[in-house]
Amino acid sequence: MVLNELGARINGALQALSRQPVIDDKAVDALLREICGALLESDVNVRLVHTLRQNVKKRVDLEVLAASANKRKVIQTAVFDELCSLVDPGVQPWKPRKGKQNVVMFVGLQGSGKTTSCTKLAAYYKRKGLKVGLVCADTFRAGAFDQLKQNASRAHIPYYGSYNEADPVQIAMDGVAQFKASKFDLIIVDTSGRHKQEAELFAEMEQIAAAIKPDNTIFVMDGTIGQAADAQARAFKESADIGSIIITKMDGHAKGGGAISAVAATGSPIEFIGTGEHVHDLDPFSARPFVSKMLGMGDLGGLVETVKDMQLDKNEDMMKNLAKGVFTLKDMRDQLQSILKMGPLSKIMGMMPGVSPEMMRGMDAEDTTRQLRKYMCVFDSMTEKELNSDGRLFDAESRLRRVARGAGVRPVEVQALLHQHRQFGQIVKRMGGPKGMLGKMNPAMMQQMAKNPGAVNPNMLKQMGGMGGIQNMVKQMGGMSGIQNMMQQMGGMGGIQDMMQQMMGGGRGGGGGGGNMQDMMAQMMGGMGGLGGLGGLGGGRR
Ligand SMILES: Nc1nc2c(ncn2[C@@H]2O[C@H](COP(=O)(O)OP(=O)(O)OP(=O)(O)O)[C@@H](O)[C@H]2O)c(=O)[nH]1
C-alpha cells in the first residue's frame, strides 16, 4: 500500500472511531486492527507494528478514561504519537553551519539515488545562503562524473571530479582540499555504490572517510525496497559512521513504509526524503509534520519554510510597490519566478492543513510548471520599459505580436498573461494605497517583512493551525471539484479576496500579535498572488 493510501486508511479508521456511539475495548481493537493491517500492507516491520499496538493499548486505559468526555481525543493522540515514534529515533540530524568548512560524505547502494540526492542537498543549502561544492569520488560507475557534472551545472553548483584519476580516495581528498582553499561552507562528496552490500564497497567507504574526515556521513536508501530495507540499513549502520539518512523515491506512489520504519529503528535520523527527480524534490523530514501531512493534517512549519525560501527579501521593490497599490509586470514575473523555484505547486498545497495527498491526486503539477516556464519566456521577451509598466502599453497590437514572436507563443497567450496581471493589479490597487491593508503597514513592518520573511513567531503558526480561518478556507477547497478548479477561482478576484478576508478574520480570532499576523498574511500573499496567477494560466489554456 502506498503512503498516501496508508494515511487515508488510518484517517478513515480514526474517523470511524469518532462516529462510534460507545468507545469500548471492541471499538479500540477494531481501530488497532485496521491501523496495524494498513501499516503491515505498507511494509512496516512487523515487530514495530506490534510495539505500536501494545503502546497504544497501554496508553488507552478505558477504565481510567471511563468518566472522561475526551476518550476519542486521547485515543487519537495516542495513535498519532505512536505513529510519530515509529519514524523518529529521537536524535537530531547534524546540520552544516555557515562560515565553517563542513564536509559531508554520501554512501549507499548503486541506483539508490545518491548522485541525484547530492545535487538536491547542495541546491537546498545553496538556497539557504551557503557556498556549496560537489565532489564526485565515484570511480566505479562509468558516467557517474558526467551525471554529477550535468546535475551540478544545471543547478549552478561548482563541482570537482576527474576523468584520469582512478583512485576515489585521491579524488575525494583533492576535491575537498580545493573547495576548502576557496572557503566553501559545505563540501559534499559522492562515493561509489555497488549492487549489493559487499566488502569492497564498505572498504572503499572507510578509506575515503579516513582521508577526508567528514563531519557527517549520509546514507542514501531507495524508499521502494520494502522489507529488504531493514537488513540494508543495519549493514550500512554497522560499517560506516552514519549520521543521517535520506530516503529517495518517496514520490506519491511510493510504498515507503519499509524504508522509513527500518531506518528509524537503526537509531539514525532521517534527514530528508526525495520526492521526485527534480532538483527541488527534497523535503526535510521531521516525524510529526510527516505523520501530520500523511494524515491530511497539513504541515504549517513546512509551509513557512517554503515561503521563507521564496526569498521575498529579494523582492523589496515589489513590496514597496504593493504598499503603494502598484503591481507591474515585473512584480508578477518575480512572484511567478519564486513559485517556480519552489518546484511543483502540489508541494505547497500539500502542506496546507486539510489538503490530503488524496486531494492532490488529480493535479497536474508538471503541466502547471511547463505553463509557468512558457510565461517566463513571455516576460523575457519584454523590454525593461514594458516590464516596469502596468501592461497598458500592450494595447498596441504590434507590441503584443512582437513579444509573442520573441517568446515563441501565440498572441492570445500573451493576452492571457496580461489579463491575469490586470486582475491581480486591481486587487493590489484596492489593498495598497493609504487606506488599504498593505498601505496601512508601517515602514518598519514592511522592512522586516522584506528583509526577513522567516521571522515568524512559531507560536503564531500554531495558532494559525487552530484557526478557523485557514481550515474553513481549506474546507472550501475540498468542496470544489478539484484543486485546479480552485486555482482558477483563486485567479479570480473574488476568490482571493474572500480567502484573504477569511484569514484576516481568523487572525483576529487567533489573537496572535497583530504585526506578526499581518507579516504572515503579506508573506502568504506573496505566494498566493503567484498561485492566483497560476490558476489563470491553467484556465487560459482550457
Ligand atoms: N522518482 C524519483 N526518482 C529518483 C529520486 N532520486 C533519484 N531518482 C532516480 O533514481 C535513479 C538513480 O539515481 P542516481 O542518483 O543515479 O543513483 P546513484 O545512487 O547515484 O547510483 P550510482 O551512482 O550508480 O551509485 C535516477 O534515474 C534518478 O533520477 C527520487 O526521489 N524520486
Side-chain angles (χ1 to χ4, degrees), residues 315-334:
N315 291 348
E316 221 166 321
D317 288 346
M318 183 180 86
M319 287 302 176
K320 279 191 203 144
N321 271 349
L322 288 181
K324 281 189 273 176
V326 173
F327 187 63
T328 64
L329 281 160
K330 196 185 229 166
D331 295 332
M332 182 174 176
R333 182 199 63 186
D334 291 348

Side-chain angles (χ1 to χ4, degrees), residues 4-271:
N4 287 356
E5 285 165 18
L6 172 67
R9 217 165 120 185
I10 296 178
N11 216 353
L14 288 170
Q15 276 170 16
L17 183 83
S18 302
R19 289 191 297 271
Q20 291 281 337
V22 186
I23 307 282
D24 52 11
D25 280 325
K26 225 171 99 197
V28 175
D29 279 342
L31 170 84
L32 285 174
R33 215 173 18 254
E34 175 67 5
I35 292 178
C36 294
L39 288 168
L40 289 172
E41 277 180 48
S42 298
D43 271 342
V44 176
N45 186 289
V46 63
R47 256 181 307 110
L48 297 174
V49 176
H50 180 71
T51 310
L52 177 138
R53 188 189 198 112
Q54 300 297 103
N55 288 351
V56 174
K57 287 212 85 157
K58 243 185 266 163
R59 281 179 62 174
V60 181
D61 185 337
L62 289 175
E63 267 172 42
V64 177
L65 286 174
S68 160
N70 238 343
K71 255 189 253 176
R72 289 173 182 80
K73 185 96 190 131
V74 172
I75 297 171
Q76 282 170 356
T77 310
V79 169
F80 185 87
D81 288 348
E82 289 305 321
L83 285 171
C84 292
S85 1
L86 196 68
V87 295
D88 185 6
V91 186
Q92 281 303 315
W94 172 91
K95 293 258 177 298
R97 284 214 314 268
K98 193 170 163 63
K100 198 180 160 280
Q101 301 203 300
N102 311 272
V103 178
V104 170
M105 174 171 138
F106 269 59
V107 299
L109 288 190
Q110 194 168 53
S112 57
K114 237 177 326 93
T115 307
T116 313
S117 302
C118 281
T119 321
K120 287 180 180 180
L121 190 79
Y124 176 86
Y125 280 113
K126 187 178 167 213
R127 283 204 301 276
K128 304 240 170 272
L130 270 67
K131 196 170 163 192
V132 191
L134 281 165
V135 179
C136 175
D138 180 355
T139 49
F140 183 78
R141 180 166 67 90
F145 179 35
D146 280 332
Q147 184 192 350
L148 182 122
K149 205 163 130 180
Q150 204 179 34
N151 290 351
S153 309
R154 234 183 271 148
H156 305 288
I157 314 253
Y159 56 85
Y160 179 90
S162 170
Y163 289 111
N164 307 320
E165 178 61 65
D167 178 9
V169 179
Q170 191 61 45
I171 298 181
M173 285 197 315
D174 292 348
V176 169
Q178 181 174 308
F179 285 127
K180 275 193 172 173
S182 306
K183 303 266 182 290
F184 275 58
D185 298 309
L186 175 62
I187 304 155
I188 299 175
V189 182
D190 187 16
T191 64
S192 308
R194 302 283 194 281
H195 287 302
K196 287 194 304 244
Q197 295 123 242
E198 54 192 44
E200 268 173 78
L201 169 68
F202 292 129
E204 186 175 309
M205 259 165 37
E206 280 164 21
Q207 284 163 10
I208 297 180
I212 61 171
K213 299 190 179 47
D215 297 290
N216 189 33
T217 300
I218 297 183
F219 166 49
V220 179
M221 180 192 250
D222 185 331
T224 62
I225 60 170
Q227 295 285 353
D230 208 47
Q232 195 186 114
R234 283 172 204 282
F236 272 88
K237 183 80 191 169
E238 274 161 27
S239 313
D241 185 14
I242 305 292
S244 50
I245 291 158
I246 294 180
I247 303 188
T248 61
K249 310 184 194 178
M250 295 288 289
D251 319 9
H253 306 291
K255 189 176 174 178
I260 289 201
S261 57
V263 154
T266 65
S268 293
I270 304 166
E271 193 178 358

